[in-house]
């Protein structure tokens, strides 16, 4: 499937992409130079820092410049910088965003990865330890949302786009057999279902609580809200809590279909062993607790994310089979998607996959048939993994 996705490619409009770059970056830069808008923002940031020679692309140097003006950030991540109120922060965040766009998806990217009306990324099935796919070329799994308008169906064709709302919490409900949690998601947004049942007060709180439960957050809003989920859905929360306990003790956990988490490292064993030594210091014991907690958070999420990846692959494989049964378009009609190559130019085909989202490129007249195939494939994936469990 990964090879087919690469061969067919994502229908991509170079004209639209270039228009987005022109508007966002202020024009195409000369070789070796920054885009005009990036250059302007850099000047604004340096003026706010009072340092016309400040380096904005080296984290150590940028941190030193920030510290000199009282911005005591520990890193230059967006989340860290947003904590501070200083005239340099706003333009700096915008500078970093536009720099990433220019470097990762600018004109060089277009020339290399989106030739001939198709973006052809290189996928790595199971490239993530949980079983999720990764990519080794083209950055298919990190495309910025602002470039989505460049995804354009060929004339006479259309794109059928589908993604699963709250896949991981739904999968958790099925894995644990928690029918109450499954019922909260029936026919609706799962987070809205939690609000309707009075578990939390808002959709945002529901999202924070559920993500906190699956990723092991114990402080802030997550730490405050997760206990409500434990009371309402003990089976689901019990499953991830047990996975966390096993991981923290050095054990391994498995996904629904049997993918096993990695074992502990020698460094992890050494930290735990050192904490139990007669001459162990409080720092040794703190290090052991921290490493145990980190591993528990990893295994807590591993079982859910890995099983969600398995569901998504069952969906993908089932849909591929469905699409192969649809008729090809008549070559004499001239409605072929020639850039998709000889195998797919006359047939509806998968052209993109991202964890819980698929895009199918299909002849316009088959749009409704493909949409139904997407729904049937999702239902079949659920049956393959979870049998008759009532998961929507």
């Amino acid at each position: 499937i990964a090879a087919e996705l690469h061969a067919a490619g994502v229908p991509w409009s170079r004209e639209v992409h270039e228009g987005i770059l022109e508007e966002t970056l202020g024009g195409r830069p000369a070789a070796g130079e920054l885009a005009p808008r990036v250059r302007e923002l850099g000047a604004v940031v340096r003026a706010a820092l009072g340092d016309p020679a400040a380096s904005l692309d080296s984290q150590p140097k940028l941190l030193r410049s920030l510290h000199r003006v009282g911005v005591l950030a520990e890193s230059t991540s967006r989340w860290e910088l947003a904590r501070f109120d200083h005239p340099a922060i706003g333009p700096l965040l915008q500078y970093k965003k536009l720099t990433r766009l220019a470097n990762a998806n600018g004109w060089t990217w277009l020339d290399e990865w989106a030739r001939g009306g198709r973006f052809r990324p290189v996928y790595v099935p199971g490239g993530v330890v949980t079983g999720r796919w990764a990519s080794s070329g083209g950055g298919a799994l990190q495309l910025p949302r602002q470039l989505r308008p460049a995804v354009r169906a060929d004339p006479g064709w259309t794109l059928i786009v589908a993604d699963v709302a709250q896949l991981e919490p739904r999968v958790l409900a099925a894995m644990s057999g928690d029918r109450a949690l499954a019922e909260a998601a029936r026919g609706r947004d799962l987070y809205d279902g939690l609000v309707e049942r009075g578990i939390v007060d808002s959709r945002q709180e529901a999202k924070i609580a559920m993500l906190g439960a699956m990723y092991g957050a114990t402080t802030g809003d997550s730490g405050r809200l997760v206990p409500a989920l434990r009371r309402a859905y003990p089976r689901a929360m019990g499953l991830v809590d047990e996975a966390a306990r096993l991981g923290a003790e050095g054990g391994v956990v498995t996904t629904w279909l049997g993918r096993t988490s990695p074992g502990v490292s020698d460094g992890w064993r050494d930290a735990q062993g050192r904490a139990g030594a007669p001459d162990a210091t409080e720092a040794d014991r703190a290090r052991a607790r921290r490493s145990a907690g980190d591993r528990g958070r990893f295994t807590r999420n591993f079982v859910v994310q890995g099983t969600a990846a398995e569901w998504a692959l069952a969906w993908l494989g089932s849909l591929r089979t469905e699409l192969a049964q649809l008729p090809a378009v008549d070559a004499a009609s001239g409605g072929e998607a020639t850039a998709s190559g000889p195998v797919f130019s006359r047939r509806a085909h998968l052209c993109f996959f991202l964890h819980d989202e698929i895009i199918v490129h299909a002849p316009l007249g088959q749009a409704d048939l493909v949409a139904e195939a997407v729904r049937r494939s999702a239902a079949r994936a659920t049956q393959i993994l979870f049998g008759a469990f009532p998961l929507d």
Side-chain angles (χ1 to χ4, degrees):
I1 295 177
E4 290 181 0
L5 285 163
H6 175 78
V10 183
W12 201 269
S13 170
R14 183 184 181 95
E15 181 181 4
V16 172
H17 190 143
E18 287 186 321
I20 294 170
L21 294 178
E22 291 276 355
E23 180 179 356
T24 306
L25 300 175
R28 183 169 188 167
E33 294 187 3
L34 296 175
R37 182 61 180 145
V38 174
R39 190 167 57 249
E40 293 167 7
L41 284 166
V44 173
V45 174
R46 292 184 178 95
L49 294 174
D51 182 359
S55 173
L56 306 184
D57 302 310
S58 164
Q59 175 165 294
K61 293 179 180 178
L62 176 56
L63 284 174
R64 285 196 290 271
S65 295
L66 290 168
H67 291 173
R68 281 196 291 269
V69 295
V71 177
L72 304 180
E74 297 179 1
S75 76
T76 58
S77 71
R78 177 162 60 96
W79 306 110
E80 174 73 5
L81 293 176
R83 296 173 46 230
F84 297 91
D85 182 16
H86 187 276
I89 299 301
L92 175 59
L93 292 175
Q94 186 67 5
Y95 172 92
K96 290 167 63 67
K97 179 179 179 180
L98 296 191
T99 300
R100 281 194 300 272
L101 175 64
N103 292 341
N105 300 105
W107 283 273
T108 300
W109 182 93
L110 262 176
D111 292 339
E112 182 175 1
W113 292 103
R115 297 190 300 269
R118 292 293 184 270
F119 164 40
R120 291 188 165 89
V122 178
Y123 294 94
V124 182
V128 179
V129 67
T130 59
R132 275 187 164 190
W133 284 20
S135 65
S136 66
L141 310 185
Q142 296 88 32
L143 287 174
R145 185 170 295 276
Q146 70 194 101
L147 292 181
R148 278 294 180 108
V151 182
R152 292 290 180 93
D154 286 7
W157 289 61
T158 190
L159 298 171
I160 293 85
V161 184
D163 67 88
V164 186
Q166 304 95 38
L167 174 58
E168 291 184 6
R170 292 171 192 269
V171 162
L172 173 58
M175 293 173 67
S176 62
D178 196 320
R179 290 176 177 265
L181 182 57
E183 183 60 32
R186 189 167 314 289
R188 64 167 70 83
D189 178 283
L190 182 144
Y191 299 139
D192 288 341
L194 299 186
V195 175
E196 289 179 18
R197 281 159 174 72
I199 311 302
V200 291
D201 294 331
S202 68
R203 187 184 185 281
Q204 181 64 16
E205 285 192 342
K207 184 174 183 178
I208 290 171
M210 188 59 71
L211 293 178
M214 291 189 298
Y215 286 87
T218 58
T219 59
D221 288 339
S222 291
R224 173 176 61 85
L225 296 168
V226 167
L229 288 185
R230 287 202 174 92
R231 291 190 295 272
Y233 308 114
R235 296 192 65 165
M237 296 304 106
L239 186 147
V240 288
D241 286 346
E242 176 63 10
R245 183 191 67 79
L246 286 171
E249 293 176 356
V252 297
V253 296
T254 60
T255 62
W256 191 252
L257 296 186
R259 181 182 289 268
T260 305
S261 63
V264 296
S265 66
D266 291 340
W268 191 93
R269 289 193 183 92
D270 291 344
Q272 303 306 313
R274 180 61 190 161
D279 60 343
T281 65
E282 182 53 37
D284 292 329
R285 288 187 284 272
R287 188 177 304 112
R289 288 193 298 270
R290 185 167 59 251
S291 61
D294 289 344
R295 179 166 172 79
R297 283 185 288 276
F298 166 71
T299 53
R300 170 189 293 274
N301 181 247
F302 180 94
V303 295
V304 181
Q305 187 180 108
T307 302
E310 291 163 354
W311 182 94
L313 292 178
W315 183 35
L316 190 66
S318 179
L319 178 57
R320 176 177 179 266
T321 301
E322 291 255 4
L323 295 178
Q325 297 171 3
L326 294 175
V329 298
D330 183 3
S333 68
E336 296 180 75
T338 54
S340 294
V343 175
F344 301 112
S345 62
R346 296 173 54 210
R347 311 191 66 92
H349 54 269
L350 287 157
C351 68
F352 186 71
F353 173 59
L354 174 61
H355 305 321
D356 59 3
E357 178 182 5
I358 58 94
I359 300 179
V360 178
H361 192 215
L364 187 58
Q366 295 182 358
D368 291 340
L369 294 174
V370 172
E372 285 304 315
V374 168
R375 297 186 186 100
R376 281 195 305 272
S377 299
R380 189 173 298 116
T382 300
Q383 185 179 38
I384 289 170
L385 263 71
F386 305 121
F389 185 82
L391 180 64
D392 183 358

